[in-house]
Amino acid sequence: MAAVPSSVPRHVAIVMDGNGRWANRRLMPRVVGHKFGVDSLVHTINACADRGVEYLTVFAFSSENWKRPQEEVSGLMNLVLMAVSRYLARMAQDGVRIRIVGDRAMVSDKVRAAWDEAETLTRDNRRITVSVAFNYGGRWDIVQACQQAMRDGLPPEQLDEQRLASYMSMAYAPDPDLFIRTGGEVRISNFLLWQSAYSELVFTDCLWPDFDDKALDAAFADYGRRDRRFGRVKTDVGPAGQAVTVPPAA
């Protein structure tokens, strides 16, 4: 196993971008790139668990991806069934808990059944929790949280950040510490808008099927160098070992 980085995030979120371009460069259909992307995901799950990551959340299918060619969308749906059939038993044995986040209304009964099977079989596992965002959008997540609060009859004056967070689709997990996007694009693309308010962002040109231990450790090393202040000023240690607060620049 690769050397463990000095600073490991508790929760990692990844936009797995570049599958189609990876396939196109090899003169293969885009869906082939997505298939290799599944293999990369399984490897990354194990790599994160080995390094002590507790939560991994991946963007598998956005609410905007329905605009893609029907052949590609159908291929992605079939990949869900393939992944459950091929990898679920092994991941269950390896202590991986799987959770699905997103709007399930538009997917087929077969896909929903596969998700139910994955969640049920792994619900008692604790090694790492893998959340798969499928038919998910950050704006959708905020809207559905508000709708649930309204259905519960929550008075407006009682709706604060903490209460609204309890209605978000990933209320069971801490906010991501590290947000990685592969594929060279430098945007978050409507992924975990609420949860990523203070995430450290890492963008890499590496296409997702090529994402390996070296790329993961490089992202962790970058994360370890960040100064996470969450709006506070930086605190240094004085010569006598006392904490010294550095005032913000004028």
Side-chain angles (χ1 to χ4, degrees):
M1 185 180 71
V4 178
S6 59
S7 182
V8 175
R10 184 182 182 197
H11 184 177
V12 177
I14 303 179
V15 178
M16 305 179 295
D17 196 16
N19 293 328
R21 280 170 286 156
W22 184 92
N24 289 339
R25 291 176 184 179
R26 291 160 177 77
L27 304 180
M28 296 185 293
R30 288 174 58 86
V31 70
V32 175
H34 293 304
K35 185 270 177 187
F36 278 90
V38 172
D39 295 338
S40 183
L41 171 58
V42 172
H43 179 84
T44 300
I45 290 171
N46 289 320
C48 283
D50 287 345
R51 286 156 176 74
V53 174
E54 297 178 38
Y55 297 88
L56 172 65
T57 302
V58 296
F59 208 3
F61 190 89
S62 78
S63 50
E64 289 80 23
N65 285 157
W66 294 104
K67 302 172 186 177
R68 294 187 176 188
Q70 182 58 42
E71 180 181 359
E72 183 174 352
V73 171
S74 297
L76 287 167
M77 297 301 165
N78 289 332
L79 272 179
V80 172
L81 304 178
M82 181 277 292
V84 170
S85 173
R86 182 175 179 181
Y87 294 112
L88 179 58
R90 174 59 64 85
M91 284 193 288
Q93 292 175 359
D94 289 343
V96 177
R97 182 176 187 181
I98 299 173
R99 302 190 69 154
I100 309 298
V101 293
D103 186 354
R104 305 190 184 206
M106 293 181 65
V107 301
S108 68
D109 291 341
K110 284 186 176 181
V111 171
R112 280 196 296 271
W115 287 346
D116 290 342
E117 179 186 2
E119 290 182 318
T120 300
L121 186 62
T122 64
R123 63 187 175 190
D124 295 326
N125 289 344
R126 295 293 181 268
R127 181 174 174 232
I128 186 172
T129 296
V130 177
S131 300
V132 180
F134 203 99
N135 195 25
Y136 173 92
R139 291 178 176 177
W140 164 86
D141 200 359
I142 295 170
V143 169
Q144 67 83 29
C146 293
Q147 290 174 336
Q148 289 189 56
M150 293 170 67
R151 292 190 193 100
D152 287 349
L154 193 68
E157 60 272 12
Q158 293 184 17
L159 185 61
D160 55 16
E161 289 187 17
Q162 184 175 2
R163 183 62 66 88
L164 185 58
S166 71
Y167 286 100
M168 303 298 289
S169 61
M170 291 188 60
Y172 57 84
D175 289 344
D177 302 292
L178 173 61
F179 183 115
I180 302 171
R181 178 167 186 152
T182 64
E185 303 292 352
V186 187
R187 56 179 177 268
I188 61 176
S189 293
N190 198 22
F191 184 42
L192 301 179
L193 296 181
W194 177 275
Q195 297 88 343
S196 295
Y198 281 98
S199 300
E200 297 298 326
L201 308 181
V202 171
F203 300 98
T204 172
D205 291 332
C206 178
L207 302 179
W208 177 246
D210 292 328
F211 194 81
D212 55 12
D213 289 1
K214 182 178 180 181
L216 182 67
D217 287 339
F220 283 8
D222 194 346
Y223 168 80
R225 291 189 292 269
R226 305 289 178 91
D227 182 14
R228 307 191 75 202
R229 297 192 298 273
F230 300 96
R232 299 183 295 267
V233 294
K234 184 175 181 180
T235 300
D236 289 336
V237 178
Q242 296 178 334
V244 177
T245 299
V246 180

PDB file of all heavy atoms in Angstrom, residues 137-151:
ATOM      1  N   GLY A 137     -28.685  16.864  -7.727  1.00  0.00           N
ATOM      2  CA  GLY A 137     -28.233  18.221  -7.983  1.00  0.00           C
ATOM      3  C   GLY A 137     -28.233  18.980  -6.669  1.00  0.00           C
ATOM      4  O   GLY A 137     -29.117  18.780  -5.822  1.00  0.00           O
ATOM      5  N   GLY A 138     -27.257  19.842  -6.473  1.00  0.00           N
ATOM      6  CA  GLY A 138     -27.180  20.595  -5.234  1.00  0.00           C
ATOM      7  C   GLY A 138     -28.379  21.497  -5.021  1.00  0.00           C
ATOM      8  O   GLY A 138     -28.880  21.638  -3.894  1.00  0.00           O
ATOM      9  N   ARG A 139     -28.891  22.109  -6.086  1.00  0.00           N
ATOM     10  CA  ARG A 139     -30.069  22.962  -5.954  1.00  0.00           C
ATOM     11  C   ARG A 139     -31.299  22.121  -5.617  1.00  0.00           C
ATOM     12  O   ARG A 139     -32.132  22.523  -4.798  1.00  0.00           O
ATOM     13  CB  ARG A 139     -30.278  23.753  -7.241  1.00  0.00           C
ATOM     14  CG  ARG A 139     -29.203  24.808  -7.478  1.00  0.00           C
ATOM     15  CD  ARG A 139     -29.417  25.549  -8.785  1.00  0.00           C
ATOM     16  NE  ARG A 139     -28.441  26.623  -8.959  1.00  0.00           N
ATOM     17  CZ  ARG A 139     -28.367  27.397 -10.039  1.00  0.00           C
ATOM     18  NH1 ARG A 139     -29.218  27.208 -11.047  1.00  0.00           N
ATOM     19  NH2 ARG A 139     -27.459  28.353 -10.109  1.00  0.00           N
ATOM     20  N   TRP A 140     -31.410  20.963  -6.255  1.00  0.00           N
ATOM     21  CA  TRP A 140     -32.509  20.048  -5.918  1.00  0.00           C
ATOM     22  C   TRP A 140     -32.461  19.700  -4.443  1.00  0.00           C
ATOM     23  O   TRP A 140     -33.511  19.655  -3.772  1.00  0.00           O
ATOM     24  CB  TRP A 140     -32.399  18.767  -6.752  1.00  0.00           C
ATOM     25  CG  TRP A 140     -33.229  17.633  -6.207  1.00  0.00           C
ATOM     26  CD1 TRP A 140     -34.549  17.386  -6.457  1.00  0.00           C
ATOM     27  CD2 TRP A 140     -32.801  16.617  -5.293  1.00  0.00           C
ATOM     28  NE1 TRP A 140     -34.977  16.284  -5.752  1.00  0.00           N
ATOM     29  CE2 TRP A 140     -33.927  15.786  -5.030  1.00  0.00           C
ATOM     30  CE3 TRP A 140     -31.591  16.320  -4.666  1.00  0.00           C
ATOM     31  CZ2 TRP A 140     -33.856  14.685  -4.172  1.00  0.00           C
ATOM     32  CZ3 TRP A 140     -31.523  15.231  -3.814  1.00  0.00           C
ATOM     33  CH2 TRP A 140     -32.647  14.427  -3.571  1.00  0.00           C
ATOM     34  N   ASP A 141     -31.280  19.447  -3.924  1.00  0.00           N
ATOM     35  CA  ASP A 141     -31.131  19.038  -2.534  1.00  0.00           C
ATOM     36  C   ASP A 141     -31.636  20.128  -1.589  1.00  0.00           C
ATOM     37  O   ASP A 141     -32.341  19.856  -0.608  1.00  0.00           O
ATOM     38  CB  ASP A 141     -29.662  18.723  -2.252  1.00  0.00           C
ATOM     39  CG  ASP A 141     -29.465  17.846  -1.020  1.00  0.00           C
ATOM     40  OD1 ASP A 141     -30.468  17.491  -0.370  1.00  0.00           O
ATOM     41  OD2 ASP A 141     -28.308  17.514  -0.716  1.00  0.00           O
ATOM     42  N   ILE A 142     -31.282  21.376  -1.876  1.00  0.00           N
ATOM     43  CA  ILE A 142     -31.719  22.479  -1.027  1.00  0.00           C
ATOM     44  C   ILE A 142     -33.234  22.654  -1.121  1.00  0.00           C
ATOM     45  O   ILE A 142     -33.921  22.852  -0.103  1.00  0.00           O
ATOM     46  CB  ILE A 142     -30.982  23.775  -1.417  1.00  0.00           C
ATOM     47  CG1 ILE A 142     -29.482  23.625  -1.135  1.00  0.00           C
ATOM     48  CG2 ILE A 142     -31.554  24.972  -0.659  1.00  0.00           C
ATOM     49  CD1 ILE A 142     -28.630  24.759  -1.700  1.00  0.00           C
ATOM     50  N   VAL A 143     -33.773  22.559  -2.328  1.00  0.00           N
ATOM     51  CA  VAL A 143     -35.224  22.710  -2.509  1.00  0.00           C
ATOM     52  C   VAL A 143     -35.982  21.606  -1.780  1.00  0.00           C
ATOM     53  O   VAL A 143     -36.970  21.863  -1.077  1.00  0.00           O
ATOM     54  CB  VAL A 143     -35.588  22.719  -4.008  1.00  0.00           C
ATOM     55  CG1 VAL A 143     -37.098  22.602  -4.199  1.00  0.00           C
ATOM     56  CG2 VAL A 143     -35.080  23.992  -4.664  1.00  0.00           C
ATOM     57  N   GLN A 144     -35.527  20.354  -1.924  1.00  0.00           N
ATOM     58  CA  GLN A 144     -36.254  19.269  -1.267  1.00  0.00           C
ATOM     59  C   GLN A 144     -36.172  19.382   0.253  1.00  0.00           C
ATOM     60  O   GLN A 144     -37.113  19.026   0.962  1.00  0.00           O
ATOM     61  CB  GLN A 144     -35.753  17.902  -1.747  1.00  0.00           C
ATOM     62  CG  GLN A 144     -34.341  17.516  -1.361  1.00  0.00           C
ATOM     63  CD  GLN A 144     -34.234  16.926   0.032  1.00  0.00           C
ATOM     64  OE1 GLN A 144     -35.191  16.320   0.519  1.00  0.00           O
ATOM     65  NE2 GLN A 144     -33.078  17.088   0.663  1.00  0.00           N
ATOM     66  N   ALA A 145     -35.047  19.918   0.761  1.00  0.00           N
ATOM     67  CA  ALA A 145     -34.934  20.126   2.205  1.00  0.00           C
ATOM     68  C   ALA A 145     -35.939  21.170   2.673  1.00  0.00           C
ATOM     69  O   ALA A 145     -36.606  20.993   3.705  1.00  0.00           O
ATOM     70  CB  ALA A 145     -33.506  20.557   2.551  1.00  0.00           C
ATOM     71  N   CYS A 146     -36.084  22.268   1.926  1.00  0.00           N
ATOM     72  CA  CYS A 146     -37.059  23.297   2.269  1.00  0.00           C
ATOM     73  C   CYS A 146     -38.481  22.745   2.203  1.00  0.00           C
ATOM     74  O   CYS A 146     -39.326  23.041   3.068  1.00  0.00           O
ATOM     75  CB  CYS A 146     -36.915  24.491   1.334  1.00  0.00           C
ATOM     76  SG  CYS A 146     -35.371  25.416   1.505  1.00  0.00           S
ATOM     77  N   GLN A 147     -38.754  21.941   1.183  1.00  0.00           N
ATOM     78  CA  GLN A 147     -40.084  21.367   1.046  1.00  0.00           C
ATOM     79  C   GLN A 147     -40.426  20.457   2.215  1.00  0.00           C
ATOM     80  O   GLN A 147     -41.561  20.482   2.726  1.00  0.00           O
ATOM     81  CB  GLN A 147     -40.179  20.594  -0.272  1.00  0.00           C
ATOM     82  CG  GLN A 147     -40.168  21.488  -1.504  1.00  0.00           C
ATOM     83  CD  GLN A 147     -40.117  20.694  -2.803  1.00  0.00           C
ATOM     84  OE1 GLN A 147     -39.660  19.536  -2.827  1.00  0.00           O
ATOM     85  NE2 GLN A 147     -40.558  21.301  -3.885  1.00  0.00           N
ATOM     86  N   GLN A 148     -39.451  19.651   2.647  1.00  0.00           N
ATOM     87  CA  GLN A 148     -39.699  18.770   3.785  1.00  0.00           C
ATOM     88  C   GLN A 148     -39.944  19.569   5.061  1.00  0.00           C
ATOM     89  O   GLN A 148     -40.817  19.223   5.868  1.00  0.00           O
ATOM     90  CB  GLN A 148     -38.517  17.820   3.985  1.00  0.00           C
ATOM     91  CG  GLN A 148     -38.388  16.749   2.912  1.00  0.00           C
ATOM     92  CD  GLN A 148     -37.347  15.711   3.288  1.00  0.00           C
ATOM     93  OE1 GLN A 148     -37.426  15.097   4.354  1.00  0.00           O
ATOM     94  NE2 GLN A 148     -36.373  15.505   2.417  1.00  0.00           N
ATOM     95  N   ALA A 149     -39.175  20.639   5.240  1.00  0.00           N
ATOM     96  CA  ALA A 149     -39.378  21.487   6.413  1.00  0.00           C
ATOM     97  C   ALA A 149     -40.781  22.101   6.388  1.00  0.00           C
ATOM     98  O   ALA A 149     -41.453  22.180   7.436  1.00  0.00           O
ATOM     99  CB  ALA A 149     -38.314  22.578   6.465  1.00  0.00           C
ATOM    100  N   MET A 150     -41.247  22.512   5.226  1.00  0.00           N
ATOM    101  CA  MET A 150     -42.587  23.089   5.100  1.00  0.00           C
ATOM    102  C   MET A 150     -43.658  22.037   5.369  1.00  0.00           C
ATOM    103  O   MET A 150     -44.665  22.319   6.039  1.00  0.00           O
ATOM    104  CB  MET A 150     -42.756  23.698   3.710  1.00  0.00           C
ATOM    105  CG  MET A 150     -41.864  24.910   3.459  1.00  0.00           C
ATOM    106  SD  MET A 150     -41.870  25.441   1.727  1.00  0.00           S
ATOM    107  CE  MET A 150     -43.559  26.022   1.563  1.00  0.00           C
ATOM    108  N   ARG A 151     -43.429  20.810   4.875  1.00  0.00           N
ATOM    109  CA  ARG A 151     -44.398  19.741   5.133  1.00  0.00           C
ATOM    110  C   ARG A 151     -44.508  19.442   6.630  1.00  0.00           C
ATOM    111  O   ARG A 151     -45.573  19.069   7.119  1.00  0.00           O
ATOM    112  CB  ARG A 151     -44.003  18.479   4.386  1.00  0.00           C
ATOM    113  CG  ARG A 151     -44.102  18.554   2.876  1.00  0.00           C
ATOM    114  CD  ARG A 151     -43.917  17.187   2.234  1.00  0.00           C
ATOM    115  NE  ARG A 151     -43.718  17.306   0.808  1.00  0.00           N
ATOM    116  CZ  ARG A 151     -42.540  17.243   0.200  1.00  0.00           C
ATOM    117  NH1 ARG A 151     -41.442  17.041   0.932  1.00  0.00           N
ATOM    118  NH2 ARG A 151     -42.437  17.367  -1.109  1.00  0.00           N
TER     119      ARG A 151
END
